[in-house]
Amino acid sequence: AVVSTQSTGEEIDEYPSDKYKRSEEMIQRFLRVDHAGEVGANDIYAGQMAVLGRSEVAPLIQHMWDQEKVHRAKMNELIVEHRVRPTVLLPFWRAAGFALGAGTALLGKEGAMACTVAVEDTIVTHYTDQIRDIVEQGKEEEYRELLQVIKKFRDEELEHHDTGIEHGAELAPQYKLLSKIIKLGCQTAIKVAERV
């Protein structure tokens, strides 16, 4: 909102408190959805391990899951630190994540890897968008720690994506259709978790 000061007639874009409120709301939105996503990712890997835990791909899935456990723990810290209310749909995301992980793992190693690729592709894009939003608002210094966390997590999610490709994701039955459905579900979950 453009306002004029009475004493000088000078126009300013908005009150500093408005900018602060907007940036705090942005960070609250980011952390709410990121927390939900990292919790959901843990449940996806739990579902995959429930089905493939004794298979040759189990150590690979366990490695990615171990990284996701670190992500979840950090997001748990950050939502407390920034006083962010988790999404009220967290129990639903947890159940959906486990079902997605187990369901795609029932298609075999390739199905599990296809799920990983689709989810991580969406998350890499999502984290990159958040990084860009923070930078475009000139908040790099103010949110330096959060920016570093998001960049680190984005890079690890990209590693998971690439691992999935290397381990046969594209050989999954109906890979393109499966990928589109999973990505659409993830994108919807992101939009909902930002608000609810």
Side-chain angles (χ1 to χ4, degrees):
V2 175
V3 294
S4 295
T5 61
Q6 282 189 326
S7 61
T8 64
E10 173 187 358
E11 288 188 353
I12 57 174
D13 283 338
E14 59 191 314
Y15 293 106
S17 62
D18 291 341
K19 284 185 179 182
Y20 175 77
K21 183 178 177 187
R22 271 205 333 269
S23 66
E24 277 301 305
E25 288 169 354
M26 175 185 73
I27 296 306
Q28 294 243 336
R29 230 180 28 255
F30 285 2
L31 290 175
R32 181 175 302 110
V33 72
D34 293 352
H35 174 260
E38 295 301 347
V39 169
N42 272 270
D43 292 309
I44 289 170
Y45 286 113
Q48 289 179 351
M49 287 298 285
V51 174
L52 297 172
R54 295 176 187 238
S55 72
E56 64 186 29
V57 76
L60 180 65
I61 294 171
Q62 186 66 54
H63 169 72
M64 292 187 287
W65 189 12
D66 289 343
Q67 286 182 314
E68 295 297 346
K69 289 176 183 179
V70 172
H71 295 184
R72 182 188 62 200
K74 184 62 178 177
M75 283 301 160
N76 282 339
E77 286 176 26
L78 288 172
I79 65 168
V80 170
E81 179 184 326
H82 290 271
R83 305 178 80 157
V84 176
R85 170 191 56 78
T87 177
V88 297
L89 297 175
L90 202 56
F92 173 75
W93 296 152
R94 296 202 65 195
F98 187 89
L100 177 61
T104 55
L106 287 171
L107 298 172
K109 172 186 101 166
E110 293 81 8
M113 293 297 113
C115 175
T116 296
V117 167
V119 169
E120 302 298 17
D121 185 57
T122 306
I123 300 311
V124 166
T125 300
H126 168 71
Y127 277 147
T128 300
D129 289 345
Q130 287 185 341
I131 293 164
R132 185 180 56 247
D133 287 348
I134 291 171
V135 170
E136 284 178 355
Q137 289 203 13
K139 300 292 184 180
E140 304 99 294
E141 285 303 313
E142 185 176 348
Y143 296 113
R144 182 186 324 193
E145 179 195 357
L146 179 60
L147 202 52
Q148 290 172 346
V149 167
I150 293 171
K151 286 178 180 179
K152 178 181 187 292
F153 288 4
R154 183 219 31 214
D155 293 347
E156 290 176 357
E157 307 298 8
L158 183 57
E159 178 186 311
H160 297 173
H161 171 277
D162 294 348
T163 298
I165 293 290
E166 291 167 12
H167 287 86
E170 295 168 314
L171 301 175
Q174 297 294 316
Y175 171 74
K176 288 186 179 185
L177 177 62
L178 182 62
S179 180
K180 280 184 180 180
I181 291 169
I182 293 170
K183 286 178 181 181
L184 179 61
C186 289
Q187 291 162 353
T188 302
I190 288 167
K191 291 298 179 198
V192 172
E194 284 178 341
R195 291 165 178 76
V196 181

